[in-house]
Amino acid sequence: MSPKIVVVGSLNMDLIVTAPKIPLEGETITGGTFCSLPGGKGANQAVAASRLGANVHMVGCVGDDEWGRVLLKNLEQENIETDYVTISPGATGVALITVNQEGNNSIVVAPGANGRMTVEHVRRAESIIRQADLLLIQLEIPMTVVEEAVRLASHHRVPIILNPAPAVPLTEELLQRIDILTPNETEGKLIVTGRAEGNVEVEEIIFNLVEKGVRQVVMTLGGEGVAYSNEGQIKQLKAHKMEVVDTTGAGDSFNAGLGVYYAESGHLADAITFAQDVAALSVTQFGAQASMPSRRQVEHFSSTKPSHGEELVDEIK
Ligand code: RIB
């Protein structure tokens, strides 16, 4: 049966320009093509989860403008329940994205309606959160809203995946309620040390997060794969080598894959492998939501890919 997933998060219109490189501070460069596509970490994860076969409810907020209408309609076309997507007077969230020739990006988000989400808004969605198999949440909405959604899900014993992006410091009270935390290295470093800079070993970050009370840590390492905590050990799964077109939304596809498979099976290691396959396919296509693969595409990839192995990195003492 399809798992019921509630996504609490952002919806943005992505304004994307391709360019030979990411411009430096103060630099103007000539880019290539421009397009606008539906995005936002919350909506991206909702679309990916829906395409992977989950029954998805989105809780979020758009503005009362043309982009808001387009984003809402797009979610409906992706078979996502939008009863708890509020329309608020003012602008919809927008992300300015530059994608370079290697498929890497830089993103600046103007939160718009995402920043107008309120605690009452998420409380109104309590009945669907209570019935969910999993809550999937990120940090592109106000922290008070994140905290309330996590509190409600934890109260109803609904497993929670928190994708701590974009990176901000998090309280121990919040971390202790999280079943699976999915930072990248920068986000993990910031949560642990309060700073995004400096050298901190991956094992130390994971060890520290577990010590702070997170049940499971799944850290994405870009081209290096994924490191995760597992029964007192840290394991690393290598990344697939793909022809990269655009990495925008790769983290979102990973989180959705993780959430869907974990909600279906309760098996973390298998869910990570599935999520890696989803993310591997997503980087081969342009755009965020536009690049999210279907369940059938992922299953085909999983059954034909070469095995890439797992390695034990460290033990959590
Ligand atoms: O994770 C990718 C997303 O980040 C983009 O779709 C953009 O909207 C920003 O939220």
Side-chain angles (χ1 to χ4, degrees):
M1 217 172 64
S2 302
K4 292 198 274 295
I5 295 189
V6 172
V7 180
V8 177
S10 58
L11 298 99
N12 294 330
M13 183 56 81
D14 288 352
L15 306 182
I16 314 161
V17 64
T18 59
K21 62 169 201 159
I22 309 290
L24 301 172
E25 191 176 315
E27 188 181 22
T28 302
I29 60 171
T30 302
T33 54
F34 167 80
C35 65
S36 58
L37 288 172
K41 293 185 194 303
N44 294 347
Q45 294 183 20
V47 167
S50 176
R51 289 189 190 172
L52 293 171
N55 184 330
V56 183
H57 274 273
M58 175 89 205
V59 181
C61 193
V62 293
D64 60 349
D65 52 11
E66 185 55 24
W67 282 337
R69 285 186 280 282
V70 171
L71 295 183
L72 204 50
K73 191 159 172 230
N74 176 64
L75 287 190
E76 284 158 10
Q77 282 168 346
E78 294 284 349
N79 298 316
I80 293 163
E81 303 284 345
T82 58
D83 291 355
Y84 296 93
V85 179
T86 303
I87 301 172
S88 125
T92 292
V94 170
L96 299 183
I97 305 183
T98 308
V99 179
N100 73 9
Q101 274 167 348
E102 288 76 44
N104 296 318
N105 61 48
S106 74
I107 305 181
V108 182
V109 175
N114 301 305
R116 298 196 292 276
M117 270 188 90
T118 62
V119 167
E120 287 69 42
H121 184 165
V122 85
R123 281 188 194 143
R124 282 200 294 275
E126 181 170 358
S127 62
I128 55 154
I129 293 175
R130 193 182 56 221
Q131 292 168 44
D133 295 311
L134 188 104
L135 172 73
L136 201 47
I137 187 161
Q138 325 73 31
L139 301 176
E140 269 186 342
I141 52 176
M143 187 53 80
T144 48
V145 177
V146 173
E147 285 167 350
E148 185 62 5
V150 166
R151 192 191 65 75
L152 286 172
S154 150
H155 174 72
H156 293 296
R157 299 184 187 284
V158 173
I160 303 163
I161 295 184
L162 172 62
N163 173 216
V168 287
L170 299 174
T171 64
E172 289 204 8
E173 195 187 341
L174 181 77
L175 290 171
Q176 283 162 8
R177 291 192 164 130
I178 304 304
D179 294 280
I180 307 177
L181 187 76
T182 59
N184 62 22
E185 260 182 280
T186 314
E187 291 152 2
K189 215 182 296 172
L190 192 120
I191 297 166
V192 165
T193 66
R195 289 156 39 96
E197 309 81 35
N199 244 344
V200 188
E201 295 293 320
V202 166
E203 299 89 79
E204 201 182 323
I205 298 172
I206 296 182
F207 175 54
N208 213 289
L209 289 169
V210 171
E211 233 183 20
K212 283 181 189 293
V214 176
R215 276 171 217 110
Q216 311 264 14
V217 180
V218 177
M219 188 180 291
T220 52
L221 306 171
E224 297 304 311
V226 175
Y228 69 104
S229 57
N230 181 259
E231 291 172 0
Q233 294 178 332
I234 297 176
K235 292 188 169 179
Q236 187 165 345
L237 289 164
K238 293 187 185 128
H240 299 295
K241 297 262 174 285
M242 306 300 289
E243 294 265 324
V244 177
V245 172
D246 180 6
T247 57
T248 312
D252 299 327
S253 70
F254 180 88
N255 277 277
L258 188 73
V260 170
Y261 205 94
Y262 187 75
E264 284 174 359
S265 68
H267 195 284
L268 184 67
D270 290 350
I272 296 171
T273 303
F274 181 79
Q276 282 190 298
D277 293 352
V278 178
L281 287 173
S282 84
V283 301
T284 64
Q285 306 293 322
F286 189 80
Q289 290 172 30
S291 71
M292 301 305 178
S294 67
R295 183 72 179 234
R296 186 190 292 238
Q297 287 170 315
V298 178
E299 283 171 356
H300 179 257
F301 178 73
S302 305
S303 63
T304 53
K305 70 181 179 187
S307 129
H308 66 323
E310 175 182 284
E311 133 193 350
L312 178 63
V313 176
D314 205 350
E315 286 195 21
I316 299 177
K317 285 100 198 161

